[in-house]
Amino acid sequence: MGFRHSAVVADLLAFCLTTCLSPACHCFPGNWTQYPLTGSWFHGSREESSFGAIGGGSGPGHQLNALFAIGVSNQRETTVVWDKLTGEPLYNAVVWLDLRTQSTVENLSKKIPGNNNFVKSKTGLPLSTYFSAVKLRWLLDNVRTVKEAVEEDRALFGTIDAWLIWSLTGGTNRGVHCTDVTNASRTMLFNIHSLEWDKELCEFFEIPMKILPNVRSSSEIYGLMKAGVLEGVPISGCLGDQSAALVGQMCFQDGQAKNTYGTGCFLLCNTGHKCVFSEHGLLTTVAYKLGRDKPVYYALEGSVAIAGAVIRWLRDNLGIIKSSEEIEKLAKEVGTSYGCYFVPAFSGLYAPYWEPSARGIICGLTQFTNKCHIAFAALEAVCFQTREILDAMNRDCGIPLSHLQVDGGMTNNKILMQLQADILYIPVVKSSMPETTALGAAMAAGAAEGVDVWSLQPEDLSAVMMERFEPQINAEESEIRYSTWKKAVIKSMGWVTTQSSESGIP
């Protein structure tokens, strides 16, 4: 499985100059998903992060006269513990998709009073393998080097952004150990109301607060680059990837929403200064806080674990395509799944079900079914999952979305975008710049006090060019296909309980 890394150098007009992809994640039996962090990581596959750099452009080819600031964005829940004396990670990074902690979650859930789910009320999150606290608890229980480093006061914890910022601002030589509110809100240790690490939550998960990073806003100068050609450039933006995409899509108003198609699929709706708690399986999360003295904004989020990852699975595991781009050609050849439905619940089901017992299924197969139909069904699966979280979002918000703004690498697939419009039965509006995650990090970096080269005032924001996909099937056909998908989802549930793979460390 691969995870997206992108680097964007943007001038003040947000012109995208460079982007790259690097697969480097390792999967093991039992749904363990992790990757090593070494010194060479900075020169190779930084698959868990995006960098947005803001500079002044001039001359042919947008050559940069000056690089003003750097912003960091990352896939949010992936967990790292490292030695602050040596700078070396004490174990592999445990990825957000990882399922080794299922028995940890089951044991912890027994400790939560049925009439007082204080974890969800404080964090906005259900108790799940998805979030950092249970990954950190597993590391403390199962990895001797981590346990010893904590006891000897050598350990630091963070999501990928915290490890990056600490390393880039000096590491063992007084590196800055910090994260921002959006990443902190995905650890399950952070109170989204007080915007602080929560003592009761830390005691519940038995996490020592001394190893946690300082929590800062999403747009301020955290420190300066300490080495290399960028030495002295401030790191001044930090956002979890989905918050960065929300900013990059300029969804600054209450009720504005975007959907990002990456490894997973993530629909966020800005709820303004209000913490809106879902009654339909969505998460409540911090959207952004763009400055120390700026107000915090919240969002409702629908999280789907497997989107682009299902395309990589068809390529790397089944071998029915040689490149991710080839799936569009296969799907176009048949234009239908011919009654085949694919539920890619490789890591259980996230929103709106939060069902860890589910596993992937392909059903409705006949002797006529071929790889083209399966390819089409895989694309439909991404769209059906988006429909489920959009329906939940509409019920929670009370006002249905009139269109869906989209971004991410998968939006280059025109078959997928048309399918999405057909299945949602509303227009899908695609940004001309798919890497809005890195753009959002650059915007936060440029807007930081002390950098001040990017204004986020509504009157100063330029419109982004869009491509629009209108529904092309009738509403009745859309509903029939969706209701059949829902039958397949039910059949995917109840396959497993506790992960027996927890007992061993690969």
Side-chain angles (χ1 to χ4, degrees), residues 68 104 148-149 164 191 204 215-216 291 338 399 420 422 429 446 463 487 497 503:
F68 298 122
T104 303
E148 289 177 352
L164 270 176
N191 188 314
F204 174 74
V215 181
R216 312 274 286 271
Y338 197 72
I399 303 174
Q420 189 67 88
D422 290 345
V429 182
K487 286 167 56 179
T497 52
S503 58

Side-chain angles (χ1 to χ4, degrees), residues 61-208:
H62 275 68
Q63 295 175 355
L64 294 176
N65 292 334
L67 194 63
F68 298 122
I70 293 169
V72 175
S73 179
N74 57 290
Q75 292 180 340
R76 297 163 291 180
E77 300 81 8
T78 298
T79 297
V80 188
V81 181
W82 67 96
D83 190 317
K84 66 183 178 183
L85 301 181
T86 67
E88 290 300 312
L90 295 166
Y91 188 68
N92 296 314
V94 182
V95 175
W96 60 282
L97 278 172
D98 186 277
L99 286 183
R100 77 188 72 188
T101 57
Q102 185 55 42
S103 66
T104 303
V105 169
E106 291 173 6
N107 291 333
L108 286 167
S109 66
K110 296 171 186 174
K111 296 166 56 179
I112 298 176
N115 60 351
N116 179 26
N117 190 341
F118 66 94
V119 175
K120 187 169 184 179
S121 64
K122 288 187 174 191
T123 67
L125 310 173
L127 191 59
S128 166
T129 60
Y130 184 14
F131 306 107
S132 305
V134 292
K135 302 179 195 299
L136 181 52
R137 181 67 258 153
W138 186 92
L139 289 170
L140 288 166
D141 289 339
N142 293 277
V143 181
R144 182 177 52 82
T145 54
V146 171
K147 185 174 184 291
E148 289 177 352
V150 170
E151 291 171 349
E152 296 168 9
D153 200 23
R154 293 184 286 110
L156 295 177
F157 154 79
T159 43
I160 291 292
D161 59 299
W163 188 73
L164 270 176
I165 292 172
W166 181 84
S167 300
L168 295 173
T169 57
T172 57
N173 184 21
R174 294 183 292 180
V176 178
H177 186 213
C178 72
T179 187
D180 89 302
V181 289
T182 67
N183 283 294
S185 74
R186 310 297 287 199
T187 61
M188 221 174 227
L189 301 170
F190 186 72
N191 188 314
I192 61 174
H193 309 285
S194 66
L195 302 182
E196 296 175 329
W197 298 121
D198 190 279
K199 188 172 185 291
E200 184 182 18
L201 290 171
C202 290
E203 288 175 350
F204 174 74
F205 289 103
E206 298 181 73
I207 304 298

Side-chain angles (χ1 to χ4, degrees), residues 53 71 135 174 197 223 235 316 381 418 453 474 499:
K135 302 179 195 299
R174 294 183 292 180
W197 298 121
I235 301 173
D316 299 340
Q418 186 57 56
V453 295
N474 62 54
Q499 299 298 301

Side-chain angles (χ1 to χ4, degrees), residues 248-310:
Q249 286 268 30
M250 301 182 196
C251 295
F252 294 124
Q253 302 301 314
D254 190 343
Q256 287 186 306
K258 67 86 203 172
N259 197 37
T260 299
Y261 299 76
T263 301
C265 205
F266 303 89
L267 175 62
L268 265 71
C269 180
N270 190 327
T271 62
H273 305 309
K274 298 176 297 182
C275 257
V276 177
F277 281 84
S278 173
E279 296 180 1
H280 301 95
L282 303 181
L283 308 178
T284 303
T285 196
V286 175
Y288 52 80
K289 186 178 187 294
L290 295 172
R292 292 183 190 179
D293 301 320
K294 301 288 185 178
V296 64
Y297 283 75
Y298 295 95
L300 276 174
E301 175 175 337
S303 307
V304 170
I306 303 294
V310 73

Side-chain angles (χ1 to χ4, degrees), residues 16-78:
C16 178
L17 297 180
T18 149
T19 181
C20 64
L21 300 173
S22 299
C25 199
H26 304 300
C27 299
F28 298 92
N31 280 298
W32 289 40
T33 313
Q34 60 188 33
Y35 59 86
L37 290 171
T38 64
S40 61
W41 193 84
F42 284 105
H43 309 291
S45 51
R46 297 179 278 264
E47 65 279 4
E48 281 285 331
S49 65
S50 297
F51 295 86
I54 181 72
S58 68
H62 275 68
Q63 295 175 355
L64 294 176
N65 292 334
L67 194 63
F68 298 122
I70 293 169
V72 175
S73 179
N74 57 290
Q75 292 180 340
R76 297 163 291 180
E77 300 81 8
T78 298

